[in-house]
Amino acid sequence: MRLYVQLAMIGLGRMGGNMAERLMRRGHKLVAFDRTPDVVAKYEKLGATSASDLATVVRSLRAPRIIWIMVPAGDPVDRDDRRRYRPMLSPGDIIIDGGNSNFHDTIRRGDELAQSKIELDRLRARAAASGDSRTATVSWSAAATPP
């Protein structure tokens, strides 16, 4: 039995874009968001549901929602994403921090989200240095567990 999931990928650069393509090739349903509309259009042509803003990302997902963030560490994670869509999420939703955030920042974000019973998981994804979309190493660890 194969399990297919629906999730959003925020950040479709080299790492996020390759991961999005891999997920869709394996049958997973993707909602694609990037700050560059032309990039989102590329993934829509590949079969993703496009989202022009974070509210559309959240509305396009069934609960419990899974939102995978692949944006640069620091301010982009805090300013552009988590604080803007957190009020739109519900208990049981999951945010995956797949960028290169400092572990201490991830713990802080996880603690903040846990107050709303939203889970934050830290994901480390590494693709080959060439950006080869056929290879990746992924490890997963929970940063915080909701009460």
Side-chain angles (χ1 to χ4, degrees):
M1 179 178 183
R2 193 158 184 173
L3 174 67
Y4 297 99
V5 297
Q6 179 198 39
L7 65 137
M9 182 69 71
I10 297 177
L12 298 167
R14 186 174 187 175
M15 294 286 289
N18 284 335
M19 191 62 71
E21 288 181 35
R22 258 190 303 283
L23 289 165
M24 288 189 296
R25 274 198 310 269
R26 288 177 173 82
H28 301 290
K29 302 298 179 197
L30 210 73
V31 176
F33 176 75
D34 192 274
R35 63 183 178 183
T36 307
D38 290 345
V39 173
V40 175
K42 172 187 172 184
Y43 292 92
E44 183 177 28
K45 287 177 186 172
L46 295 174
T49 299
S50 67
S52 58
D53 57 47
L54 294 171
T56 303
V57 168
V58 174
R59 280 195 311 271
S60 299
L61 295 169
R62 294 182 310 272
R65 296 169 195 91
I66 302 171
I67 298 176
W68 189 337
I69 304 169
M70 291 295 282
V71 299
D75 194 46
V77 176
D78 287 326
R79 182 194 69 234
D80 292 336
D81 299 317
R82 187 181 47 79
R83 290 187 181 151
R84 287 180 33 206
Y85 58 66
R86 182 168 76 177
M88 297 182 262
L89 298 177
S90 302
D93 289 346
I94 298 169
I95 297 174
I96 301 169
D97 178 1
N100 58 353
S101 294
N102 179 286
F103 182 72
H104 297 289
D105 292 338
T106 302
I107 290 173
R108 176 183 48 79
R109 291 181 194 115
D111 290 344
E112 291 171 3
L113 289 164
Q115 294 172 16
S116 301
K117 298 187 184 204
I118 297 168
E119 186 173 337
L120 174 70
D121 290 329
R122 181 175 188 185
L123 184 81
R124 290 192 174 261
R126 294 186 185 94
S130 65
D132 184 347
S133 64
R134 294 169 294 162
T135 61
T137 303
V138 176
S139 63
W140 181 291
S141 65
T145 303

